[in-house]
Amino acid sequence: MSSVPSGVDDTTRPAESPAEIVGRLRATFRTGRTKGLDWRTGQLRQLRALLTERGDEIADALHADLGKSRKEAYRTEIDFTIREIDHTLEHLADWLRPEPAPVPATLGGAQAYTVQDPLGVVLVIAPWNYPVQLLLAPLAGALAGGNAVVVKPSELAPATSAAVARLLPRYLDTDAVAVVEGAVPETTALLAERFDHIFYTGNGTVGRIVMAAAAEHLTPVTLELGGKSPVFVDRDTDLKAVAGRLAAGKFLNAGQTCVAPDYVLTDPETGAALADALAAAVEGLFGADASTHPEYGRIVNHRHFDRLAGLLGSGRTVTGGTYDRDSKYIAPTVLADVAPDAPVMREEIFGPVLPIVTVGGLDEAIAFINDRDKPLALYAFTDADAVRERLIAETSSGAVGIGLPLAHLTVSDLPFGGVGESGMGSYHGRYSLETFSHRKAVLDTPMPA
């Protein structure tokens, strides 16, 4: 194995083209080296070591790119990924055991089973909002699957991209794992190559480009996209508790989270009371001026800042609404009296702006959700079993979270992924292994004696 020991820089490999990288990794895969359980678990442990030994370096890069505090960097990126690796290490041997299947009587004496077959050389393209978690958690799944992997960090998080490109070769098998930095030209060149799977996290516009490129080689894809994830707040709920949980989920990472609550649906009376409760919750989280709070982040760049600033006039400002372009700061903002066709309702917000849209009740809320693209997540705050059941049964979304936004991501035994415009395919835990493997059918029929 040519992996470089921790702390040793690998400066011997010359610059390579995407074609050379893919060819080199494919040659490694064909030796069978990546298929053994020892290699898989060894690489996962090395990836874990990177995160534990170099966590502070990674946290510094995340602060430089997104203003993330050290606490948030560890909680949402570094420790999150470590837990995912630990879960995989604990269960991988069991997941890889052949699974028997019954055979018909006409095949008496035969044995049928399935095995998880590694795909080959896979490509992981990560976004900028959680540039560590959303790169390394899929990488962990691809390694668990026994694949060689090319990872492409986001150029919009340059400090994190540079840190990953520097550190990964020091910890992982450089004959089987490669990092390619760059922007659109480098990504385009990568997509021209034949991979055995492409895993992309980002927006639907680029997702379509990825899918079109993959079609040239009939390469399967996983698309982890986003969309406008709605929140239904039922009347007669504890609005102080609702507001606290909603504000914490919405304004994490300055709202730049693919499964962040995008907008609230509730009746007019509840909406008015919830608006006041949200204002209090935001102040409780970040104080009177969030720009001075160490746990509140910044917008990734000025292009996204300008887009978000243009949405602030879409309703009555309940709290927030202030901003500073030089520091890329937008205050946690809640908007009331928002029309269904307001600018803030026409696109995924992906920032610290939370609109409240009033509806007549549950029937109207369900119709409102179903009239729009299928979201990555649907959230609800309700004490009524009947409301829970109707929302689960009568709407379509990647996931449903009742009582707590974002938390379903932390359950490794739940699949994470979208449906329709919010994506295709899923991962986390065993579902990552399924994504980065082929379930191969085997029928073993004995010859006559």
Side-chain angles (χ1 to χ4, degrees), residues 8 23 57 64-65 72-73 75 129 141 157-158 206 217 219 226 247 250 289 304-306 323 376 378 405 407 441:
V8 179
E57 292 178 49
D65 287 328
E72 183 177 326
R75 178 164 62 97
N129 59 323
V206 178
H217 301 289
T219 298
K250 172 63 180 182
D289 181 3
H304 285 278
F305 176 94
D306 292 340
Y323 54 88
L376 186 54
L378 165 63

Coordinates of all heavy atoms in Angstrom, one line a residue, residues 8 23 57 64-65 72-73 75 129 141 157-158 206 217 219 226 247 250 289 304-306 323 376 378 405 407 441:
V8 N 3.4 12.9 7.2 CA 4.4 12.9 6.1 C 3.8 13.4 4.9 O 2.7 12.9 4.5 CB 5.0 11.5 5.9 CG1 6.0 11.5 4.8 CG2 5.6 11.0 7.2
G23 N -7.3 6.5 -14.7 CA -6.6 5.3 -15.2 C -5.8 4.6 -14.1 O -5.8 3.4 -14.0
E57 N -7.1 22.0 12.5 CA -6.7 22.6 11.2 C -8.0 22.7 10.3 O -8.2 23.7 9.6 CB -5.7 21.8 10.4 CG -4.3 21.8 11.1 CD -3.4 20.8 10.4 OE1 -3.3 21.0 9.1 OE2 -2.7 20.0 11.0
A64 N -12.5 30.1 8.1 CA -12.1 31.0 7.1 C -13.1 31.1 5.9 O -13.3 32.2 5.4 CB -10.7 30.6 6.5
D65 N -13.7 30.0 5.6 CA -14.6 29.9 4.5 C -16.0 30.4 4.8 O -16.7 31.1 4.0 CB -14.7 28.5 3.9 CG -13.5 28.1 3.2 OD1 -12.8 28.9 2.6 OD2 -13.1 26.9 3.2
E72 N -19.3 24.7 16.2 CA -20.1 24.3 15.1 C -19.4 23.4 14.1 O -19.9 22.4 13.6 CB -20.7 25.5 14.4 CG -21.7 25.1 13.3 CD -22.4 26.3 12.6 OE1 -22.6 27.3 13.3 OE2 -22.6 26.2 11.4
A73 N -18.1 23.7 13.9 CA -17.3 22.9 13.0 C -17.2 21.5 13.4 O -17.3 20.5 12.7 CB -15.9 23.6 12.8
R75 N -19.2 20.0 15.7 CA -20.5 19.3 15.9 C -21.1 18.9 14.6 O -21.7 17.8 14.5 CB -21.5 20.3 16.7 CG -22.9 19.7 16.9 CD -23.6 20.6 17.9 NE -23.8 21.9 17.5 CZ -24.9 22.4 16.9 NH1 -25.9 21.6 16.7 NH2 -25.0 23.7 16.6
N129 N -21.3 24.2 1.5 CA -22.0 24.7 2.7 C -21.5 23.8 3.9 O -21.4 24.3 5.0 CB -23.5 24.7 2.6 CG -24.0 23.3 2.2 OD1 -23.4 22.6 1.4 ND2 -25.2 23.0 2.7
G141 N -18.4 6.1 2.8 CA -19.2 5.0 2.2 C -18.6 4.4 1.0 O -18.7 3.2 0.8
A157 N -15.3 26.9 -1.2 CA -14.8 26.9 0.1 C -13.3 26.6 0.0 O -12.8 25.5 0.3 CB -15.5 25.8 1.0
P158 N -12.5 27.6 -0.4 CA -11.1 27.4 -0.9 C -10.2 26.9 0.3 O -9.3 26.1 0.0 CB -10.7 28.7 -1.5 CG -11.6 29.7 -0.9 CD -12.9 29.0 -0.7
V206 N -26.8 22.2 -11.5 CA -25.5 21.5 -11.8 C -25.8 20.0 -11.8 O -25.2 19.2 -12.5 CB -24.5 21.8 -10.7 CG1 -23.2 21.0 -11.0 CG2 -24.1 23.3 -10.8
H217 N -21.8 7.7 -20.5 CA -21.1 6.5 -20.1 C -22.1 5.5 -19.4 O -21.6 4.5 -18.9 CB -19.9 6.7 -19.2 CG -18.9 7.6 -19.8 ND1 -18.1 7.2 -20.9 CD2 -18.5 8.9 -19.5 CE1 -17.3 8.2 -21.2 NE2 -17.5 9.2 -20.4
T219 N -23.3 5.9 -16.6 CA -22.9 5.9 -15.3 C -24.0 6.2 -14.3 O -24.7 7.2 -14.5 CB -21.7 6.9 -15.0 OG1 -20.7 6.5 -15.9 CG2 -21.3 6.9 -13.6
G226 N -31.7 19.7 -3.1 CA -32.2 20.5 -2.0 C -33.7 20.8 -2.2 O -34.5 19.9 -2.4
A247 N -35.8 27.9 15.2 CA -34.7 28.9 15.0 C -33.4 28.2 15.0 O -32.5 28.6 14.2 CB -34.8 30.0 16.1
K250 N -33.0 26.4 11.6 CA -33.0 27.3 10.5 C -31.7 28.1 10.4 O -31.1 28.2 9.3 CB -34.2 28.3 10.6 CG -34.2 29.4 9.5 CD -34.3 28.8 8.1 CE -34.3 29.9 7.0 NZ -34.4 29.4 5.7
D289 N -27.7 41.4 18.9 CA -26.9 41.6 17.6 C -26.2 40.4 17.3 O -25.1 40.1 17.8 CB -26.0 42.8 17.8 CG -25.2 43.1 16.6 OD1 -25.5 42.5 15.5 OD2 -24.4 44.1 16.6
H304 N -23.8 35.0 -3.4 CA -24.9 34.5 -2.6 C -25.5 35.6 -1.6 O -26.7 35.6 -1.4 CB -24.5 33.3 -1.8 CG -24.3 32.0 -2.6 ND1 -25.4 31.2 -3.0 CD2 -23.2 31.5 -3.2 CE1 -25.0 30.3 -3.8 NE2 -23.6 30.4 -3.9
F305 N -24.6 36.4 -1.1 CA -25.1 37.5 -0.2 C -26.0 38.4 -1.0 O -27.1 38.7 -0.5 CB -23.9 38.3 0.3 CG -24.3 39.5 1.1 CD1 -24.3 39.4 2.5 CD2 -24.6 40.7 0.5 CE1 -24.7 40.5 3.2 CE2 -24.9 41.8 1.2 CZ -25.0 41.7 2.6
D306 N -25.7 38.8 -2.2 CA -26.5 39.7 -2.9 C -27.9 39.1 -3.3 O -28.9 39.8 -3.2 CB -25.8 40.2 -4.2 CG -24.6 41.0 -3.9 OD1 -24.5 41.6 -2.8 OD2 -23.7 41.1 -4.8
Y323 N -28.0 43.8 7.5 CA -26.9 43.1 6.8 C -25.7 44.0 6.6 O -25.8 45.3 6.7 CB -27.4 42.5 5.5 CG -28.0 43.6 4.6 CD1 -27.2 44.3 3.7 CD2 -29.4 43.8 4.6 CE1 -27.8 45.2 2.8 CE2 -30.0 44.7 3.7 CZ -29.2 45.5 2.8 OH -29.7 46.4 2.0
L376 N -36.7 18.1 0.0 CA -35.8 17.2 0.6 C -36.3 16.8 2.0 O -36.1 15.6 2.4 CB -34.4 17.9 0.8 CG -33.3 17.0 1.2 CD1 -33.1 15.8 0.4 CD2 -32.0 17.8 1.2
L378 N -39.7 17.4 5.0 CA -40.9 18.1 5.5 C -40.9 18.0 7.0 O -40.7 16.9 7.6 CB -42.1 17.3 4.9 CG -43.5 17.6 5.6 CD1 -43.9 19.1 5.4 CD2 -44.6 16.7 5.0
P405 N -36.3 19.8 13.6 CA -35.7 19.9 12.2 C -34.3 19.4 12.3 O -33.6 19.5 13.3 CB -35.7 21.4 11.9 CG -36.7 22.0 12.9 CD -36.7 21.1 14.1
A407 N -32.7 16.8 12.6 CA -32.2 15.7 13.5 C -32.2 14.3 12.8 O -31.4 13.5 13.1 CB -33.0 15.6 14.7
A441 N -26.3 -11.1 -7.6 CA -27.0 -12.4 -7.4 C -26.1 -13.5 -7.7 O -25.5 -13.5 -8.8 CB -28.3 -12.4 -8.2

